[in-house]
Amino acid sequence: MTIRRASELPKPTEAELAILGVLWERGSGTVRDVHEALYANDGGGYTTALKLMQVMHAKGLVERDDSQRAHVFRAVVSKERTQKRFLSDIVDRVFDGSASQLVLHALGSQSASREELKEIRQLLNRLDRESK
Amino acid sequence: MTIRRASELPKPTEAELAILGVLWERGSGTVRDVHEALYANDGGGYTTALKLMQVMHAKGLVERDDSQRAHVFRAVVSKERTQKRFLSDIVDRVFDGSASQLVLHALGSQSASREELKEIRQLLNRLDRESK
DNA sequence: CCCGCTCAACGAATGACTTCGTACAGCATG
DNA sequence: CATGCTGTACGAAGTCATTCGTTGAGCGGG
């Protein structure tokens, strides 16, 4: 038996991430659900989605309920955890390990609403207090 | 002749990014420089670094001065532009297009010094003023 | 019972990335 | 000139991600 801690799950590939996105949004879904949400428009085949999801299941990224004829899939990794993981990766690899460099870039080059700015400021205040 | 605008340069792969890191830091370097900075310790071969840099040159990611026997390489893409590119990618693919979601995650889960927090706050103030 | 539909399983083909072995050129030294 | 050193060039091999064609199972309607 192989036990694998969550942190050792492989990093999702690009196509896998798109599928996880659908599962996170819906909570769960069949291959058909995912195919229609992602591939139906741009001509991707049904079996392509199926194969990807089989691979993801083999990797442990998704779990599968096969009590129904159309198996129902569900993400094993949470969205938050995955976001954090990609974030650390990018901080290490292109921002020399400095998260605040990344924050400065992100704030500078992308748009944020006043609502979001307010939220960020509140978090900033809290961090300031905690690091006193 | 093929002319390629900067925005169409391919996204550097993981190994390419490490090499770009060395070139950004040094300004320029030979294959030997890069190999010693990156691969010497972990056993990577000299020709591996060479091949990677040849591929990068073919892709247009680096330029090469071959007037010397040991060719001197220099990054074509700037560090800032590459950071921005990876950032947009990750915002689109795992943060549903919301840069401030990313900022909140980054601030929450990674450490930032008081200096950096101050810098972020200043930028925040400026953004607030501008969006008034 | 048989046809047609939906589905999972499997394997092949392709292409990208990475690593490395080998070949070959230039140059200095004896 | 022969040898050794340092460099580039080239191609093969391995791995992984992605795409797709084919097969066979199960099920319901005629």
Side-chain angles (χ1 to χ4, degrees):
Chain A
M1 175 161 66
T2 304
I3 297 192
R4 201 185 268 281
R5 269 173 290 143
S7 66
E8 291 171 0
L9 284 178
K11 184 170 125 182
T13 69
E14 198 148 331
E16 287 168 351
L17 201 51
I19 290 176
L20 283 176
V22 174
L23 295 181
W24 284 328
E25 189 175 341
R26 300 180 39 112
S28 66
T30 64
V31 174
R32 179 144 310 276
D33 294 331
V34 170
H35 176 252
E36 279 170 4
L38 284 185
Y39 294 93
N41 302 329
D42 63 88
Y46 173 87
T47 52
T48 299
L50 170 63
K51 180 64 162 187
L52 277 168
M53 292 168 80
Q54 284 172 346
V55 168
M56 291 169 78
H57 183 245
K59 288 182 182 172
L61 290 175
V62 297
E63 59 188 6
R64 176 170 57 172
D65 170 7
D66 57 358
S67 66
Q68 304 299 316
R69 183 152 125 73
H71 299 180
V72 177
F73 292 79
R74 186 178 298 274
V76 167
V77 286
S78 75
K79 180 169 184 175
E80 286 67 29
R81 201 168 169 69
T82 306
Q83 288 175 325
K84 192 167 171 181
R85 171 139 187 203
F86 274 78
L87 214 43
S88 313
D89 259 32
I90 213 179
V91 164
D92 285 349
R93 296 200 292 110
V94 291
F95 286 92
D96 304 320
S98 161
S100 25
Q101 274 301 310
L102 173 141
V103 168
L104 287 172
H105 268 258
L107 281 179
S109 62
Q110 315 265 151
S111 59
S113 72
R114 288 188 81 73
E115 263 312 305
E116 292 168 325
L117 287 180
K118 189 174 156 199
E119 205 177 342
I120 292 169
R121 187 181 300 277
Q122 286 172 352
L123 176 57
L124 213 53
N125 287 336
R126 190 153 54 73
L127 287 177
D128 232 12
R129 248 176 287 119
E130 282 168 4
S131 79
K132 172 138 343 153
Chain B
M1 177 160 66
T2 303
I3 296 193
R4 203 186 268 278
R5 267 173 291 143
S7 65
E8 292 170 0
L9 283 177
K11 185 170 127 183
T13 68
E14 198 148 330
E16 288 169 351
L17 201 52
I19 290 177
L20 283 176
V22 175
L23 295 181
W24 285 328
E25 188 175 342
R26 299 180 41 110
S28 66
T30 65
V31 174
R32 181 146 308 277
D33 294 331
V34 169
H35 175 251
E36 278 170 6
L38 284 185
Y39 294 93
N41 301 330
D42 63 85
Y46 174 88
T47 52
T48 299
L50 170 64
K51 180 63 164 187
L52 277 168
M53 292 168 79
Q54 285 172 345
V55 168
M56 290 169 78
H57 182 245
K59 288 182 182 172
L61 290 175
V62 297
E63 59 189 6
R64 175 169 58 171
D65 171 6
D66 57 358
S67 67
Q68 304 298 316
R69 185 153 125 71
H71 299 181
V72 177
F73 292 79
R74 185 178 298 275
V76 167
V77 286
S78 75
K79 181 168 183 175
E80 287 68 28
R81 199 166 171 70
T82 306
Q83 288 176 324
K84 193 166 169 180
R85 172 142 187 199
F86 274 77
L87 213 43
S88 312
D89 259 33
I90 213 179
V91 164
D92 285 349
R93 295 200 293 109
V94 291
F95 286 94
D96 305 320
S98 160
S100 26
Q101 273 302 308
L102 174 142
V103 168
L104 287 173
H105 268 258
L107 281 180
S109 61
Q110 316 266 152
S111 60
S113 71
R114 288 188 79 75
E115 265 310 307
E116 292 168 323
L117 287 181
K118 190 175 157 199
E119 205 178 342
I120 292 169
R121 189 180 299 276
Q122 286 171 351
L123 176 57
L124 213 54
N125 287 335
R126 190 153 53 74
L127 287 178
D128 234 12
R129 249 178 287 118
E130 283 168 4
S131 78
K132 170 128 357 142

